[in-house]
Amino acid sequence: MIFDYETLKLIWWVLIGVLLIGFVISDGFDMGVGALLPFLGRDDDERRVIINTIGPHWEGNQVWFITAGGAIFAAWPAVYAAAFSGFYIAMLLVLFALFFRPVGFDYRSKIADPRWRTAWDWGLFAGGAVPALLFGVAFGNLLLGVPFSHDEFLRPSYSGSFWGLLHPFALLSGVLSLAMLMTHGALWLQLRTEAPIAARARAAARIAVLIMLAAFALAGIWLAFGVDGYRIVSMPPTDAPSNPLAKVVEIADGAWLNNYGRYPWMILAPVVAFAGGVGTFLLATIRRPGWAFITSALSMTGVILTAAFSMFPFILPSSTVPNSSLTVWDAPSSHLTLMVMFWAAAIFVPLILLYTFWSYRALWGKVTVKQIQENTHSAY
Amino acid sequence: MVEEVVELSRLQFAITAMYHFLFVPLTMGLSFLLVIMETVYVMTGKQIYRDMTQFWGKLFGINFALGVTTGITLEFQFGTNWAYYSHYVGDVFGAPLAIEGLMAFFLESTFIGLFFFGWERLSKVQHLTVTFLTALGSNLSALWILVANAWMQNPVGAEFNYQTMRMEMTSFYELLFNPVAQVKFVHTVAAGYVTGSMFVLGISAYYLLKGRDLPFARRSFAVAAGFGLASILSVIVLGDESGYNLGDVQRTKLAAIESEWETHEPPAGFILIGLPNEETQTTDYAIRIPYLLGLIATRTLTEPVYGIKDLLVDHEARIRTGITAYALLQKLRSGDPDEADRTAFEEAKKDLSYGLLLKRYTPNVVDATEAQIKQAARDTIPRVAPLFWSFRIMVAAGFLMLFIFAAAFYYCAKRREHRKRWLLRLALYGIPLPWIAAEAGWIVAEYGRQPWAIGEVLPTFLGVSSRTTGDLWFSLAGLVGFYTLLLVVELYLMFRFARLGPSSLHTGRYHFERSSGGAAGQPMDQQQ
């Protein structure tokens, strides 16, 4: 095998990050568009314009989410098991909200009744807003620590409740995530539509990105002063077989900032998040939505990396039994599985990017009310 | 382990998987029918084939949406509801699922957008390529899911590691080329083609019965008849029974399907029909066809097909070894194991799973009583009657479809199919047949796998998440509620557009858009 086990564990931490960032950049904008749909589209034609800017692409985008789920299953089975069963109710709410999307897009305009269409519009709203909010809440809870533990045979069990997830810090993370995706969605609309939708989208992007910047700053201060971090006291060698119970972990004030002292370059992540956000605001203001879309993508990447760097090597810290926490070193699959999955990702991710870009290029251009009226029976 | 949580988790998985499989086979089959129709369009340039691709594509889209909706749940449900399963086998089982996403689902989902939105933007050949890649994606998707499923039936290429308390992959090659995966793939994909064909055949028959849009309907009918006949023959000839001699789980399943209590002198006879009786362990009123089962299942005249009674004896012995394996595992897990223990465990660990079956009766396993061991052995045989009957329903539906496709093909060749009203009615009312067969087939495959989640590796009841019955009722109610509501909406749209037919394309060339409305003197009808 070309990589040793320790290197592969690290590579998979990076690859899961790539999939999550890919998800936020691509599916993020269509979820943001969904969340904005009832507010930016004032009549049926306008709403159809909005829907048709993402109609051909949302489906492929959503696969980033599904593949990230599958990749966590394959590369970090312990995380997949503990997190998804722990966040049971939240996970189901995300799924229920996502149900509205495939049917919403395809069925909405097949029937002309305005009540039918309005109902699906709100379905698409839920399908965008609820996951965007709850993903943020989930990330916030990772930073807070999750009440779960393993028994001697490594069966995970969760001792919190759904309401326990709604800690104020987690809710702030939820607001951050929703604002971030709405910014991204609004920029997409500014880019792909004409006035008056584009003008409304521009206003929405400017407000959303300011909320995002404020939430990110507040969350950073809170993390530094108000949230306890986790620290590994002792653990087996990093290339040992995955056994989450073999290490000793302690909860420590401000431990989530330790990495920035140890690896000063990590500070780049929050810097990019801020700079990207500010750049987005300016570029949206001077009507450069294409560039603003890119800075917004950079900013979201910075936000996700900030969370990831703060926690490294933790993935899922346990607040009740800290030694049960799952880390980059003791949550992964076996050496062979990580290697096989590395090759799968190395071959297919570039291919996916290639044909995804081709699909965007083939359908590029502004979507207009006139086009919708001309293709009223085939457009979404 | 709360028994009710186990039952509800199983029920939820069964319901969500069966809902999902209402849509999957049609996606697989219809996508290739679209490729065929569009290929004819690109080669001949005839507009009617483009209309066919677009109209059947519209119905394809209505179906596809719910396929995606119901599919999302399945990707995450292993984690939400089967957490210990996910921990225990994720190292092996997760890989094909993740590769499915990377290799297949991305492809299918990206290109389906271009299929619907690319008609005006792409060249003819580019669009055909897009349609082909969508179909390829959906079929590759089936490949990886079936590789994962086949591993549950016949877990090759993996080994238990006591340090990590889980199964770990030892050979990706063996996982991928699992013989059970191969037969399952061919069988399932061909069944999908049958579903797509039956769907197009039946709806086209409806237009022919109504005497509308004849050229459109007759061409669609002919394509479906040809593709369907080839597909149903593949399903029957390459039925996945040939996979049933691989591994103990498949052998047990076969014995239950056949309600075969005794091991007979090879080659075994096939019980065509009878009444399975669990009490007396016999099959009452059995009608046997000599030699047939031995031929189907082993493809030889010399290999035996094991009966349930012999399998039970074997399983009981393995439970006893399993107790030893469990005791050794406890010793290894408690730290500082010596070499002898490790060697002894390696020797006994293939039966560890049989020891785990006892956890249902005694959490500590090693203190199991004789009665508990007997009980656990009985658990290794799934209930016979549901399997016996599901299998026969599937086969009956299959042969009925063979007849329909054969007749349709014959009369198409004779160019008389549009006048055979009995055939058209049969095709129309036969539309549910492939769904009945497919759902019955999955009941055979998965109910027949019990009591194992992963054959001879992990008992189903151990795989569940540590959740409460309240959580389970919430999710079950939500999932069933949403799915049923969406299914009703889907069927409403499907019926509406199927009834409307190609007129829904608004090209001005079809039945409901022409002011005359009658049957004679219309331009398209004269093109025959």
Side-chain angles (χ1 to χ4, degrees):
Chain A
M1 282 184 254
I2 58 164
F3 295 117
D4 60 43
Y5 195 19
E6 182 189 13
T7 312
L8 266 176
K9 286 179 179 179
L10 206 56
I11 288 176
W12 266 100
W13 179 73
V14 174
L15 284 176
I16 299 283
V18 168
L19 288 172
L20 286 176
I21 291 167
F23 157 62
V24 171
I25 292 177
S26 60
D27 210 23
F29 77 75
D30 60 56
M31 285 188 168
V33 168
L36 291 166
L37 170 68
F39 313 108
L40 300 190
R42 301 275 160 86
D43 60 35
D44 185 54
D45 281 339
E46 285 185 7
R47 288 187 180 181
R48 289 187 76 178
V49 167
I50 292 173
I51 290 168
N52 278 278
T53 62
I54 52 174
H57 303 301
W58 77 271
E59 200 128 28
N61 294 346
Q62 182 160 290
V63 183
W64 286 96
F65 172 62
I66 290 167
T67 301
I72 291 174
F73 196 177
W76 295 341
V79 175
Y80 179 82
F84 291 1
S85 67
F87 295 156
Y88 191 78
I89 303 288
M91 208 46 221
L92 278 154
L93 291 177
V94 168
L95 292 179
F96 293 163
L98 289 177
F99 289 169
F100 287 114
R101 283 157 49 92
V103 274
F105 283 110
D106 196 75
Y107 295 177
R108 179 196 181 279
S109 298
K110 286 203 158 52
I111 288 182
D113 187 327
R115 281 167 307 174
W116 166 274
R117 290 190 173 180
T118 310
W120 286 116
D121 288 343
W122 286 103
L124 289 172
F125 165 78
V130 172
L133 185 75
L134 287 179
F135 289 147
V137 171
F139 256 87
N141 275 287
L142 295 190
L143 288 156
L144 290 166
V146 179
F148 78 98
S149 59
H150 288 104
D151 73 6
E152 54 178 326
F153 294 117
L154 295 181
R155 169 186 293 279
S157 49
Y158 178 80
S159 55
S161 68
F162 170 69
W163 305 111
L165 296 178
L166 305 180
H167 182 282
F169 176 78
L171 289 176
L172 178 66
S173 310
V175 170
L176 168 59
S177 145
L178 180 61
M180 186 164 108
L181 266 51
M182 282 174 108
T183 306
H184 209 46
L187 293 167
W188 174 259
L189 288 178
Q190 195 185 349
L191 187 62
R192 296 290 309 273
T193 63
E194 295 177 326
I197 304 172
R200 284 179 219 137
R202 171 172 169 268
R206 286 168 30 122
I207 297 167
V209 77
L210 290 179
I211 295 173
M212 178 238 146
L213 283 168
F216 185 65
L218 195 59
I221 295 166
W222 199 331
L223 195 65
F225 299 105
V227 175
D228 288 340
Y230 290 74
R231 193 161 60 200
I232 294 176
V233 179
S234 72
M235 64 171 218
T238 46
D239 60 353
S242 294
N243 177 8
L245 295 178
K247 65 183 173 312
V248 179
V249 171
E250 66 175 13
I251 298 179
D253 198 14
W256 285 150
L257 299 185
N258 289 351
N259 277 340
Y260 297 99
R262 205 172 312 144
Y263 314 103
W265 56 266
M266 283 188 176
I267 206 83
L268 271 175
V271 169
V272 168
F274 270 116
V278 172
T280 303
F281 181 81
L282 297 175
L283 288 162
T285 308
I286 61 167
R287 296 185 176 79
R288 291 281 185 281
W291 289 105
F293 191 76
I294 291 169
T295 53
S296 156
L298 283 173
S299 168
M300 295 197 297
T301 306
V303 170
I304 291 173
L305 288 182
T306 305
F309 288 164
S310 303
M311 291 174 65
F312 185 86
F314 286 91
I315 303 164
L316 192 68
S318 163
S319 58
T320 42
V321 184
N323 289 355
S324 265
S325 298
L326 295 169
T327 72
V328 173
W329 311 119
D330 58 22
S333 284
S334 63
H335 197 173
L336 175 62
T337 301
L338 292 186
M339 197 67 231
V340 169
M341 291 307 301
F342 169 80
W343 284 117
I347 294 166
F348 289 109
V349 172
L351 248 154
I352 290 162
L353 291 174
L354 210 68
Y355 61 65
T356 302
F357 277 115
W358 184 72
S359 82
Y360 279 88
R361 223 191 53 176
L363 301 175
W364 197 251
K366 298 223 187 251
V367 179
T368 62
V369 172
K370 190 163 155 276
Q371 283 172 19
I372 297 294
Q373 285 164 348
E374 281 168 3
N375 298 295
T376 187
H377 297 291
S378 60
Y380 274 171
Chain B
M1 220 51 49
V2 187
E3 198 75 8
E4 202 181 343
V5 169
V6 174
E7 295 303 313
L8 289 172
S9 302
R10 286 182 60 192
L11 182 64
Q12 182 174 311
F13 199 95
I15 288 176
T16 48
M18 288 177 79
Y19 258 108
H20 185 50
F21 217 74
L22 289 176
F23 312 104
V24 172
L26 186 56
T27 298
M28 288 193 292
L30 203 45
S31 63
F32 267 116
L33 281 160
L34 295 176
V35 172
I36 295 172
M37 292 170 188
E38 195 173 347
T39 305
V40 179
Y41 166 61
V42 170
M43 284 167 61
T44 64
K46 284 186 185 163
Q47 179 67 31
I48 191 165
Y49 285 100
R50 181 180 151 133
D51 292 348
M52 278 161 64
T53 315
Q54 287 195 322
F55 170 69
W56 296 111
K58 212 183 226 329
L59 301 190
F60 175 79
I62 293 170
N63 170 71
F64 189 82
L66 267 194
V68 174
T69 298
T70 51
I72 305 170
T73 310
L74 291 179
E75 184 86 15
F76 295 94
Q77 192 170 216
F78 293 102
T80 53
N81 289 80
W82 299 91
Y84 199 56
Y85 173 102
S86 302
H87 161 76
Y88 206 85
V89 300
D91 194 273
V92 195
F93 185 83
L97 284 201
I99 297 175
E100 186 265 344
L102 288 165
M103 183 179 184
F105 197 43
F106 256 118
L107 193 69
E108 181 184 13
S109 300
T110 306
F111 286 106
I112 196 164
L114 282 163
F115 174 81
F116 288 114
F117 287 81
W119 284 105
E120 310 299 327
R121 300 282 191 121
L122 303 171
S123 72
K124 278 186 190 177
V125 174
Q126 275 178 336
H127 194 279
L128 176 60
T129 311
V130 160
T131 312
F132 173 74
L133 289 173
T134 309
L136 181 69
S138 79
N139 283 263
L140 281 176
S141 180
L143 171 69
W144 289 102
I145 298 304
L146 291 168
V147 165
N149 179 263
W151 190 76
M152 297 169 77
Q153 319 284 350
N154 183 33
V156 290
E159 222 182 331
F160 181 77
N161 180 347
Y162 75 88
Q163 291 172 293
T164 53
M165 267 310 291
R166 67 185 182 197
M167 296 297 289
E168 294 185 348
M169 199 191 290
T170 53
S171 164
F172 181 66
Y173 182 87
E174 281 182 42
L175 174 73
L176 181 54
F177 292 99
N178 185 346
V180 176
Q182 295 176 23
V183 284
K184 263 184 178 296
F185 176 64
V186 177
H187 186 69
T188 311
V189 168
Y193 302 161
V194 168
T195 311
S197 306
M198 202 64 218
F199 179 82
V200 173
L201 192 80
I203 296 174
S204 305
Y206 169 76
Y207 306 139
L208 294 175
L209 283 167
K210 294 267 171 196
R212 330 188 304 226
D213 299 323
L214 287 184
F216 184 95
R218 290 191 67 188
R219 283 177 173 86
S220 299
F221 191 92
V223 170
F227 191 55
L229 183 61
S231 306
I232 191 77
L233 285 171
S234 318
V235 177
I236 293 173
V237 176
L238 306 169
D240 71 343
E241 272 218 321
S242 54
Y244 281 131
N245 214 29
L246 301 154
D248 184 86
V249 172
Q250 295 288 84
R251 269 201 285 272
T252 308
K253 195 188 290 179
L254 179 66
I257 289 170
E258 289 310 322
S259 188
E260 196 57 87
W261 305 92
E262 318 281 348
T263 308
H264 295 278
E265 277 291 301
F270 178 86
I271 299 181
L272 186 64
I273 202 126
L275 279 183
N277 189 332
E278 305 244 2
E279 304 263 305
T280 59
Q281 301 205 326
T282 52
T283 307
D284 305 335
Y285 315 109
I287 301 172
R288 264 172 213 278
I289 303 176
Y291 291 16
L292 187 60
L293 179 60
L295 278 172
I296 294 174
T298 68
R299 308 267 146 131
T300 70
L301 289 169
T302 48
E303 276 180 49
V305 175
Y306 293 96
I308 291 169
K309 287 180 188 169
D310 282 340
L311 290 166
L312 265 174
V313 173
D314 180 48
H315 294 166
E316 192 182 314
R318 296 189 67 181
I319 290 173
R320 289 177 203 280
T321 329
I323 296 174
T324 318
Y326 189 83
L328 287 164
L329 175 66
Q330 279 179 318
K331 219 163 157 190
L332 294 179
R333 293 287 300 173
S334 61
D336 287 332
D338 61 36
E339 208 41 54
D341 287 339
R342 222 173 277 162
T343 323
F345 178 70
E346 291 303 317
E347 203 117 299
K349 76 179 181 187
K350 68 175 196 337
D351 289 336
L352 173 67
S353 55
Y354 279 90
L356 293 177
L357 286 170
L358 285 165
K359 276 211 174 233
R360 200 164 161 193
Y361 305 109
T362 168
N364 198 23
V365 176
V366 290
D367 56 8
T369 62
E370 271 306 301
Q372 287 170 330
I373 293 173
K374 295 265 183 234
Q375 184 62 43
R378 270 196 294 278
D379 289 349
T380 61
I381 308 294
R383 274 174 48 217
V384 172
L387 293 172
F388 182 85
W389 290 113
S390 298
F391 182 79
R392 274 152 190 77
I393 289 170
M394 174 181 81
V395 171
F399 277 97
L400 201 51
M401 286 189 281
L402 174 63
F403 171 74
I404 296 175
F405 282 121
F409 187 77
Y410 174 78
Y411 286 112
C412 275
K414 295 248 167 194
R415 303 192 181 282
R416 286 211 308 267
E417 82 288 355
H418 56 299
R419 297 205 197 100
K420 299 284 163 195
R421 296 189 73 84
W422 62 269
L423 173 63
L424 299 175
R425 275 200 204 98
L426 200 55
L428 175 60
Y429 295 111
I431 289 178
L433 284 174
W435 279 274
I436 292 169
E439 298 287 350
W442 277 112
I443 290 173
V444 171
E446 306 309 303
Y447 190 79
R449 176 170 40 75
Q450 303 306 323
W452 306 107
I454 305 288
E456 297 184 282
V457 164
L458 181 70
T460 307
F461 69 89
L462 275 182
V464 295
S465 301
S466 313
R467 300 300 314 187
T468 63
T469 46
D471 295 332
L472 263 298
W473 280 116
F474 168 77
S475 55
L476 195 56
L479 289 164
V480 171
F482 267 107
Y483 283 177
T484 307
L485 185 72
L486 293 175
L487 179 66
V488 170
V489 172
E490 195 251 12
L491 287 175
Y492 168 73
L493 284 175
M494 200 60 112
F495 273 96
R496 186 184 160 107
F497 281 94
R499 285 212 177 96
L500 203 51
S503 307
S504 64
L505 298 174
H506 296 272
T507 55
R509 286 189 289 273
Y510 294 98
H511 182 80
F512 289 111
E513 295 173 288
R514 288 174 313 204
S515 48
S516 59
Q522 288 138 8
M524 282 306 283
D525 285 356
Q526 289 168 347
Q527 272 186 18
Q528 301 182 58

